[in-house]
Every structure is written in structure tokens, then in C-alpha cells.
Amino acid sequence: MRAVTKTVLGLGIAGAGVLGWASLVERNAFVLRRFEVPVLPEGAEPLRVLHLSDLHLLPRQRAKRSWVHSLASVDPDLVITTGDNIAADDAVPSLLDAYELLLPLPGVFVLGSNDYFAPKVKNPLGYLTRNHAKGVGTTQRLPTADLVRGLRAGGWVDLTNRRDTVSVRGLRIDVLGVDDPHLGYDRLDLVRGAASPEADLTLAVTHAPYQRVLDAYAADGADLIVAGHTHGGQVCVPGYGALVTNCDLDTSRVKGLSRWWPGAGSTPSSEAPADAAWLEVSAGLGTAPTAPVRLACRPEATLLTLVPRSRG
């Protein structure tokens, strides 16, 4: 019995230590990931794109706000946010404060489910089943209109089920996006169409990287697809990786840079065509307030340095 007791106590202490690390340390250990992506025309100068996602911001989270505020120092040419910005009905002013130095820069955005609805307590085992979206969109409404107004007033382009064009350092970038696919709000019929040969870059944006959206973007000739939502798995197994993506994306693409082409979800990456789109999925900067832990998956923003295709 003494040996059993020691084992149980040891496991309890180890579990408490892991939980403490995940909830108090790693959850606030923000990091800037950097990738080089060969998607620009020959002779183009590199373009720096800052991607932010899944802040799930609460007004009391001053450290997160300060860290996001500091990202202006990386001197991005374009900012993308892929949704789930807020987590409370009083969080919009705090979010706009965090984005204060970034809003004057060229930027585009789409929304996520937690820009519409407050988080809900769920059974975490549900994420291991097909019920991962159960209950989404049934909680308290958040001030979405105030959020959108604030981002638009700062000059960022709203890509909610629409296409547009932005000019960045002399490059024409065709941008398109959909409303949150996790809620079923995406209207691909409003943004489908072949990429223009006059564009220097076609950039497609979504909050949740569901395969139906990625397939449509890639089929229409997007050069770069940017998404969030997955939290990188959020609670990962050290040495193994993510167990879930919270959508139908495979876990090998849960975060970071990969390639995508129509049907990529059912074919091995070794069969990727030469013209496959680049896909960057951010693990995001936050967690839902109902699950404030991260393990083996630090909160992140991403700096994408876009370079000519010849460098790829």
C-alpha cells in the first residue's frame, strides 16, 4: 500500500506541475514564428506580412496586449488577422489598444466564431470526436459590429465573404476571404473566381481551415492561404504533436507552413503539384477563457517574409 500511495502521490504532483506549467507559464510564453514563402514575381523586393490570430482577448490580459503592441517593431508591410480577436463583451477597446500601432499599416481581416459568440464550457473529450463544433453559436452575442467598425476605422480591409485589392510597396495583391466556416457562415459563391493574371499575388484568408474552403481557394489559383482557429492543437503531446485541429484539417498541418491543392486532404504531400498553394496556419496567441492552458504549443504570431518564386 505504501508503494501504491507513493506512486499515486507522485503522479498527482507531476500532474499538478504540468497543469501549472500549461496554465501559468506556457500560456503566456508568446513567440514570433518566422517563415520565408516564395510567392512573389521575379525581381520583387521581399514583403513582410504579420499574421495574428486567436487572441481571445480579455481586458485584464495586459501582458498579451503589450506583446502585441510591441510587434510594430518588426516593421511589417501588411497585417492579417484571422479572427477570434475577443472573448468578452467589453474587450473591443482593449483589442484596439493592442492593435494601435498596427492599424495605420495596410491590413486585412476576417472574423471567427468567438468574434460573434462568447466562449462556452465544453467537455474537452468532445474535441476528439465529430462533435467538435457542437454548441458553437448558441451563447451570448459579442459586440461584433463594434469590433468591425474599429478595425475598418483603422483602415483595415474587411474580407467577410468578399474580394478586394490592396497595394503594398508597389505590388498589387488581390485579397479574398470568407466569414467563419466553423459557424457555417462562409459564402464561397461570393468569392470564387480565377486569380487575375494582373495580380502580383493572390492572398486568400479564412479563420477556420476547413478543407472545402482550402480546396476552393487552391482551385482558383491562390498563391498563399492564411488561417488560424486550430490553436496548434493547444494541448499537445511532447514528441508527438497535436491530437486535434478542431476542424477537418489533418494534424500534420495544424500549424506552420505547408502546401495545399484541391484534394490535398486525401493525398500524400509527396504528390503535391508544382503550382500548389502555400498554406500557413497560426497556432494563435490565446485560449478560450474556459480552457486557459497550453502544453507543448506556445502562443504565437507569425512573420511571413514573402520572396520571389525563383527563390523557392
Side-chain angles (χ1 to χ4, degrees):
M1 282 298 295
R2 183 175 298 175
V4 171
T5 301
K6 286 183 177 180
T7 300
V8 171
L9 286 174
L11 290 173
I13 292 170
V18 170
L19 180 60
W21 172 267
S23 61
L24 300 175
V25 179
E26 187 167 344
R27 179 171 63 91
N28 297 302
F30 309 114
V31 63
L32 181 65
R33 305 291 185 197
R34 298 172 185 263
F35 297 102
E36 187 174 280
V37 194
V39 290
L40 296 182
E42 183 70 29
E45 292 296 318
L47 203 66
R48 296 160 67 84
V49 178
L50 178 65
H51 177 201
L52 301 166
S53 195
D54 299 272
L55 272 71
H56 293 279
L57 190 66
L58 296 170
R60 66 173 182 266
Q61 294 174 329
R62 293 186 179 88
K64 186 188 299 183
R65 288 162 54 187
S66 177
W67 192 83
V68 172
H69 207 261
S70 74
L71 290 174
S73 65
V74 305
D75 196 24
D77 300 303
L78 176 69
V79 182
I80 303 170
T81 175
T82 48
D84 277 6
N85 293 276
I86 55 176
D89 60 5
D90 58 348
V92 171
S94 298
L95 180 82
L96 297 179
D97 173 71
Y99 287 168
E100 177 187 13
L101 299 181
L102 298 172
L103 281 170
L105 303 173
V108 300
F109 70 92
V110 292
L111 302 177
S113 60
N114 287 131
D115 293 317
Y116 289 103
F117 299 97
K120 179 180 182 179
V121 177
K122 296 181 181 180
N123 179 354
L125 295 179
Y127 286 97
L128 301 175
T129 73
R130 294 182 181 273
N131 293 325
H132 54 76
K134 189 175 181 180
V136 174
T138 60
T139 55
Q140 173 193 353
R141 291 298 302 249
L142 294 177
T144 311
D146 293 343
L147 169 64
V148 171
R149 252 192 312 271
L151 297 179
R152 285 178 175 171
W156 287 359
V157 176
D158 184 355
L159 293 180
T160 304
N161 291 326
R162 61 184 299 272
R163 305 177 68 106
D164 210 324
T165 298
V166 296
S167 178
V168 181
R169 292 182 57 189
L171 294 176
R172 170 180 162 172
I173 304 178
D174 285 0
V175 290
L176 61 147
V178 290
D179 207 346
D180 183 28
H182 198 57
L183 288 170
Y185 287 179
D186 52 303
R187 288 288 306 276
L188 284 166
D189 58 301
L190 298 179
V191 299
R192 293 295 305 269
S196 171
E198 298 178 1
D200 295 302
L201 173 70
T202 299
L203 170 66
V205 183
T206 180
H207 172 63
Y210 279 85
Q211 291 187 35
R212 67 177 183 275
V213 177
L214 304 183
D215 281 353
Y217 283 166
D220 288 346
D223 299 300
L224 174 62
I225 304 170
V226 176
H229 174 72
T230 66
H231 293 195
Q234 188 165 323
V235 176
C236 300
V237 177
Y240 177 82
L243 298 176
V244 296
T245 64
N246 199 21
C247 61
D248 63 357
L249 187 69
D250 58 281
T251 54
S252 69
R253 296 180 173 93
V254 70
K255 65 178 180 179
L257 195 65
S258 62
R259 305 299 296 271
W260 192 271
W261 61 98
S266 57
T267 54
S269 58
S270 59
E271 297 181 15
D275 61 351
W278 289 93
L279 169 65
E280 188 267 318
V281 180
S282 172
L285 280 166
T287 69
T290 53
V293 294
R294 276 186 179 256
L295 182 63
C297 185
R298 288 176 65 179
E300 66 180 44
T302 311
L303 184 65
L304 301 171
T305 300
L306 310 187
V307 298
R309 297 179 184 90
S310 58
R311 286 178 57 174

